[in-house]
Amino acid sequence: QVQLVESGGGSVQAGGSLRLSCAASGYTDGYKCMGWFRQAPGKEREGVATIYTGDGSTDYADSVKGRFTISQDNAKNTAYLQMNSLKPEDTAMYYCAADGRSRWACTTGEANFGYWGQGTQVTVSS
């Protein structure tokens, strides 16, 4: 019912910046929780940032607070992840996700989002 397409990944040196985009299409009404997740080789998938598009409230993993910013453009049905001051430990496959859960459940600690994109690779060299 919802399709998500990520873009903007690539390779960057430590200290650099990237902006990831997640374009949503299909039946997006009611799917107000958008999130970014990442998974590095040999690591569990972790929540990076979420935004509840109903009111713009956000949640971030401690490891990215102050460096990453999640935002939305409702007119374009697109969510963004601005990534600044990148570190080698940020290297991972990044996935966009969407879900119809409530604002209070729209956090990086909540699993089982309903819809997922294909992922985009981010590589940060030291």
Side-chain angles (χ1 to χ4, degrees):
Q1 292 184 326
V2 176
Q3 294 79 46
L4 305 173
V5 179
E6 301 104 326
S7 61
S11 297
V12 66
Q13 289 187 309
S17 298
L18 288 171
R19 189 172 84 151
L20 307 184
S21 298
C22 176
S25 61
Y27 186 73
T28 58
D29 286 354
Y31 298 94
K32 295 184 174 67
C33 184
M34 300 288 295
W36 287 96
F37 297 77
R38 67 186 182 187
Q39 187 167 25
K43 301 281 189 178
E44 293 288 326
R45 186 175 65 196
E46 63 174 336
V48 176
T50 58
I51 184 167
Y52 187 74
T53 61
D55 62 6
S57 60
T58 59
D59 182 54
Y60 295 93
D62 289 342
S63 59
V64 306
K65 286 180 179 177
R67 300 189 298 119
F68 291 9
T69 303
I70 188 170
S71 61
Q72 62 170 334
D73 185 336
N74 286 335
K76 297 180 179 179
N77 286 328
T78 301
Y80 304 94
L81 185 68
Q82 179 66 47
M83 309 164 66
N84 298 326
S85 301
L86 283 163
K87 304 175 181 179
E89 52 262 44
D90 295 319
T91 295
M93 185 73 73
Y94 283 71
Y95 299 91
C96 177
D99 198 76
R101 64 189 62 192
S102 70
R103 180 196 182 210
W104 308 115
C106 190
T107 67
T108 57
E110 298 292 336
N112 303 122
F113 275 53
Y115 299 93
W116 294 85
Q118 82 288 350
T120 185
Q121 178 68 38
V122 171
T123 302
V124 184
S125 59
S126 60

